[in-house]
Amino acid sequence: HSRKALASELAATAVGEVLARFLRAACMFCCWSVSEPPLAPGRWRRRSLTSGPRLVYRPEPLDLHLGMFLPTLLNQATPEQMDRFFTPAWNLQIIGTYAQTEMGHGTHLRGLETTATFDPATQEFVLNSPTISSIKWWPGGLGKTSNHAIVLAQLHTQGNCHGLHAFIVPIRDMDTHVPLPGIVVGDIGPKFGFSEVDNGFLKLENVRIPLDNMLMKYAKVEPDGTYVKPPSAKLTYGTMVFIRSMIVGQSALALAKSCTIAIRYSAVRHQSELKPGEPEPQILNFQTQQHKLFPVLATAYAFTFVGQYMKQTYNRISGDIHAGDYSGLPELHALSAGLKAFTTWAANGAIEVCRMSCGGHGYSRSSALPDIYVEFTPTCTYEGENTVMMLQTARYLLKSYSQARGGQQLQGSVSYLSRLQPQPVSAGVPPLNIQDLASLVQVYQLRAANLVELAATSIQQELQLRRSQEDAWNSSAIDLVRASDAHCHYVVVKLFADKLRQVEDPAVTSVLSTLALLYSLHGIASNSGDFLKAGLLSVPQALQVSAHIKELLIQLRPNAVALVDAFDLNDKRLNSVLGRYDGNVYEHLFEWARHSPLNASEVHESFHKYLKPLRSKL
């Protein structure tokens, strides 16, 4: 039960070190650095917005200042506003947050009630929270830390409402930190996870700010109140797109940490008997344990590459936007929304699989898995509730589908809707090579195209019943979410296949190809109904998929520990007794227990206060 058990795993493969080098290069997704050691247990580093100093990360009050306040200024502030706000914010004189969500309104942004009414007489905006449901709710750092907030509010000028716009609102005195007049602000209280973060509320009561506190890089209000609209309405939501793109990388990191812990522990833990009278084997030798953990491992690699792609795509389209080209913004918005939902849903469930696969010790916080779950699971809700995110992606898919049916050639992730016709059941089952990744990519394409067409057909049928467009959409929402899920699943499989072509080392390519096949086939097995109903899979082929998954588990077994070691997550970063690199789990588990706060004294005060008096009365 030591590192020797894990060392024997690495000895079985010659690709461990090459994998580690490859993953260190590939895992620079979003703004997370995975290759540098942390400064303290349980913390990892996040890159600053430029080449400046690196900051330690756990969920903390400054997260929205760094992750949303500063990026919003970079993307939406004028040069003059950058001088006024960004430099002080970079130096932490201004500490900001991003106040969008309201008590009664979350993902449906058009429903936000906070108002910003322009007063031309004073050249000021007057901000108000007109109802109890309009109180800003949830922004991290708002409760006690921030002295400024970027507030999303409905812009009113010259008697017209022009929708949501961003305003920089001072909320606390820069010297005393006392809330400013008209500002009612505080912490919302304990919640599930993020205990270190002072998520807050903000009520605005006739708060006046200068005209140039509206972020006006794109949309503008002239001194006479004239409104100049932006080139694209989606530019207002650029910060959310950035965060959603980043969350895809966070999903990969959470999965990498979870499966590293579970697989390392499964190589150390010996339990039960495969054959009577023989020593207890490593639980990683049990097929059921492999079937739990190896698909999670494959998903962690897949999401790593997707996170990298999203970072590159965001940077590319952001560059195009700065150059005046807004054509890529709709796809970026749809892709970031869909993949945010797809990856966080999958990761949320997979973290729990890893925890349960560690048996009783998985319940202990010494494993780090309960903390990983609690810190990660809010991603399914914040920056857009996942079902609503899938429906936003569906709108883009249906629009693209309509364009493709009209003969328009599509580009990007939806280009398959132009090239491929959904496969009718009557056409028979196409030849499917379950050992060929290109064949699997094609069948995922066909599944996505089929479900997009089914969703479009459902809406048309509802409209023929003389229902309104809105009612037809709601009556088809289940189909729309399934279509978005299938589209995102196809994108992930395709990106995994694309990544393999960039790998030059044959040994690494071989192992990653096995992972890619496992990810793709496990997805078919888990969604076999879609493929069977679309005529893309026969029952014998479905049986072949299940059989080949078992073969892939056997192939991955010798490389399992090397594959998680390749994530290069050191012990401080994992902060897990079960996932220790040296494999000395039991010694350190006992030591961890000995340091429990209840063991600070041999006889706890509760004995003298409660138990002893109780015994004396018996």
Side-chain angles (χ1 to χ4, degrees), residues 225-257:
T226 301
Y227 175 71
V228 181
K229 65 180 182 180
S232 170
K234 289 184 172 62
L235 289 169
T236 303
Y237 312 128
T239 303
M240 288 186 299
V241 173
F242 166 70
I243 296 297
R244 289 169 188 166
S245 300
M246 186 179 72
I247 287 173
V248 177
Q250 287 181 288
S251 300
L253 179 57
L255 280 184
K257 294 171 72 175

Side-chain angles (χ1 to χ4, degrees), residues 89 136 153 172 214 275 285 336 399 431 502 578 587 596:
K136 295 296 181 182
R172 289 184 172 94
M214 173 181 162
K275 297 179 180 179
N285 288 341
S336 64
K399 181 178 180 180
Q502 302 175 21
L578 301 191
E587 300 93 328
S596 169

Side-chain angles (χ1 to χ4, degrees), residues 435-477:
Q435 300 187 50
D436 177 36
L437 197 54
S439 178
L440 296 175
V441 171
Q442 183 181 32
V443 81
Y444 270 92
Q445 273 189 352
L446 289 165
R447 174 205 178 204
N450 181 267
L451 289 177
V452 170
E453 182 175 61
L454 285 176
T457 301
S458 174
I459 289 180
Q460 289 303 315
Q461 291 173 345
E462 294 293 331
L463 290 174
Q464 289 173 4
L465 297 175
R466 297 184 178 180
R467 296 190 177 182
S468 68
Q469 186 72 39
E470 293 77 13
D471 288 338
W473 181 268
N474 184 52
S475 297
S476 306

Side-chain angles (χ1 to χ4, degrees), residues 334-572:
L335 199 58
S336 64
L339 287 175
K340 180 265 184 188
F342 182 84
T343 58
T344 56
W345 265 334
N348 190 59
I351 294 168
E352 180 68 356
V353 168
C354 290
R355 188 192 64 75
M356 289 191 291
S357 73
C358 292
H361 293 320
Y363 286 85
S364 171
R365 290 186 67 186
S366 65
S367 71
L369 291 166
D371 289 334
I372 293 173
Y373 181 84
V374 167
E375 290 182 2
F376 179 79
T377 193
T379 61
C380 293
T381 303
Y382 67 60
E383 299 313 313
E385 192 276 330
N386 277 357
T387 301
V388 180
M389 293 296 93
M390 283 297 194
L391 290 171
Q392 288 188 10
T393 301
R395 289 189 184 278
Y396 179 73
L397 290 175
L398 261 62
K399 181 178 180 180
S400 300
Y401 176 83
S402 177
Q403 292 170 340
R405 299 290 77 78
Q408 184 173 335
Q409 288 298 311
L410 304 177
Q411 302 296 323
S413 64
V414 294
S415 59
Y416 66 92
L417 294 174
S418 292
R419 299 193 308 270
L420 298 173
Q421 291 290 335
Q423 186 76 10
V425 176
S426 59
V429 179
L432 174 63
N433 184 350
I434 62 175
Q435 300 187 50
D436 177 36
L437 197 54
S439 178
L440 296 175
V441 171
Q442 183 181 32
V443 81
Y444 270 92
Q445 273 189 352
L446 289 165
R447 174 205 178 204
N450 181 267
L451 289 177
V452 170
E453 182 175 61
L454 285 176
T457 301
S458 174
I459 289 180
Q460 289 303 315
Q461 291 173 345
E462 294 293 331
L463 290 174
Q464 289 173 4
L465 297 175
R466 297 184 178 180
R467 296 190 177 182
S468 68
Q469 186 72 39
E470 293 77 13
D471 288 338
W473 181 268
N474 184 52
S475 297
S476 306
I478 296 174
D479 297 324
L480 292 164
V481 171
R482 289 175 60 229
S484 293
D485 183 84
H487 171 73
C488 293
H489 209 159
Y490 153 68
V491 169
V492 175
V493 172
K494 181 178 184 300
L495 290 176
F496 206 154
D498 291 345
K499 177 58 67 173
L500 293 180
R501 291 193 287 270
Q502 302 175 21
V503 184
E504 298 179 356
D505 188 284
V508 175
T509 301
S510 175
V511 176
L512 291 181
S513 296
T514 304
L515 280 175
L517 284 173
L518 178 59
Y519 178 80
S520 303
L521 293 178
H522 186 266
I524 291 176
S526 300
N527 300 278
S528 57
D530 288 346
F531 294 94
L532 288 167
K533 286 188 290 186
L536 303 173
L537 188 71
S538 66
V539 173
Q541 286 174 331
L543 296 175
Q544 291 173 12
V545 167
S546 298
H548 195 53
I549 287 174
K550 296 176 182 178
E551 295 174 7
L552 294 174
L553 299 179
I554 296 171
Q555 293 175 29
L556 285 171
R557 172 62 184 89
N559 296 316
V561 174
L563 285 163
V564 295
D565 282 357
F567 287 118
D568 200 27
L569 297 165
N570 61 40
D571 286 345
K572 288 184 177 180

Side-chain angles (χ1 to χ4, degrees), residues 64-377:
L64 262 69
H65 174 80
L66 297 169
M68 298 191 76
F69 188 82
L70 291 176
T72 301
L73 292 178
L74 283 171
N75 290 328
Q76 298 188 40
T78 64
E80 184 274 333
Q81 290 173 325
M82 288 289 289
D83 291 338
R84 286 178 55 213
F85 296 112
F86 186 85
T87 301
W90 182 254
N91 293 325
L92 295 181
Q93 295 168 331
I94 287 177
I95 299 176
T97 186
Y98 190 86
Q100 174 179 290
T101 300
E102 297 174 357
M103 187 189 296
H105 307 277
T107 307
H108 179 55
L109 299 182
R110 291 193 301 275
L112 295 179
E113 297 179 84
T114 303
T115 60
T117 304
F118 182 62
D119 182 357
T122 61
Q123 294 292 289
E124 292 174 318
F125 290 102
V126 184
L127 281 85
N128 274 291
S129 304
T131 65
I132 187 69
S133 58
S134 69
I135 295 173
K136 295 296 181 182
W137 204 265
W138 278 114
L142 176 63
K144 295 296 178 183
T145 304
S146 301
N147 54 32
H148 282 67
I150 290 176
V151 174
L152 271 289
Q154 302 286 355
L155 169 63
H156 292 261
T157 180
Q158 294 182 338
N160 297 312
C161 178
H162 298 283
L164 283 182
H165 290 73
F167 301 85
I168 302 174
V169 182
I171 58 175
R172 289 184 172 94
D173 185 273
M174 297 279 283
D175 296 321
T176 66
H177 211 60
V178 172
L180 296 170
I183 299 290
V184 181
V185 63
D187 183 83
I188 66 170
K191 57 268 175 193
F192 185 84
F194 283 66
S195 299
E196 304 95 328
V197 180
D198 55 327
N199 297 88
F201 61 80
L202 174 64
K203 187 173 187 291
L204 300 161
E205 299 175 341
N206 293 314
V207 175
R208 289 181 172 266
I209 60 173
L211 169 64
D212 53 6
N213 274 33
M214 173 181 162
L215 292 177
M216 295 199 200
K217 183 175 182 178
Y218 300 110
K220 294 180 176 63
V221 172
E222 302 290 356
D224 63 354
T226 301
Y227 175 71
V228 181
K229 65 180 182 180
S232 170
K234 289 184 172 62
L235 289 169
T236 303
Y237 312 128
T239 303
M240 288 186 299
V241 173
F242 166 70
I243 296 297
R244 289 169 188 166
S245 300
M246 186 179 72
I247 287 173
V248 177
Q250 287 181 288
S251 300
L253 179 57
L255 280 184
K257 294 171 72 175
S258 300
C259 67
T260 296
I261 294 167
I263 288 175
R264 283 180 178 174
Y265 176 65
S266 297
V268 169
R269 179 78 172 185
H270 290 245
Q271 190 159 303
S272 302
E273 296 177 344
L274 279 174
K275 297 179 180 179
E278 290 189 356
E280 291 182 307
Q282 297 159 296
I283 60 174
L284 198 56
N285 288 341
F286 288 97
Q287 186 186 68
T288 50
Q289 190 77 346
Q290 296 170 10
H291 193 248
K292 293 176 188 175
L293 295 178
F294 291 176
V296 177
L297 175 62
T299 304
Y301 271 76
F303 288 2
T304 294
F305 302 138
V306 174
Q308 184 183 14
Y309 170 82
M310 285 305 299
K311 175 189 175 183
Q312 294 168 348
T313 301
Y314 177 84
N315 289 338
R316 173 177 58 81
I317 294 179
S318 293
D320 293 342
I321 290 172
H322 287 301
D325 180 3
Y326 306 100
S327 60
L329 189 56
E331 183 186 15
L332 177 62
H333 183 269
L335 199 58
S336 64
L339 287 175
K340 180 265 184 188
F342 182 84
T343 58
T344 56
W345 265 334
N348 190 59
I351 294 168
E352 180 68 356
V353 168
C354 290
R355 188 192 64 75
M356 289 191 291
S357 73
C358 292
H361 293 320
Y363 286 85
S364 171
R365 290 186 67 186
S366 65
S367 71
L369 291 166
D371 289 334
I372 293 173
Y373 181 84
V374 167
E375 290 182 2
F376 179 79
T377 193

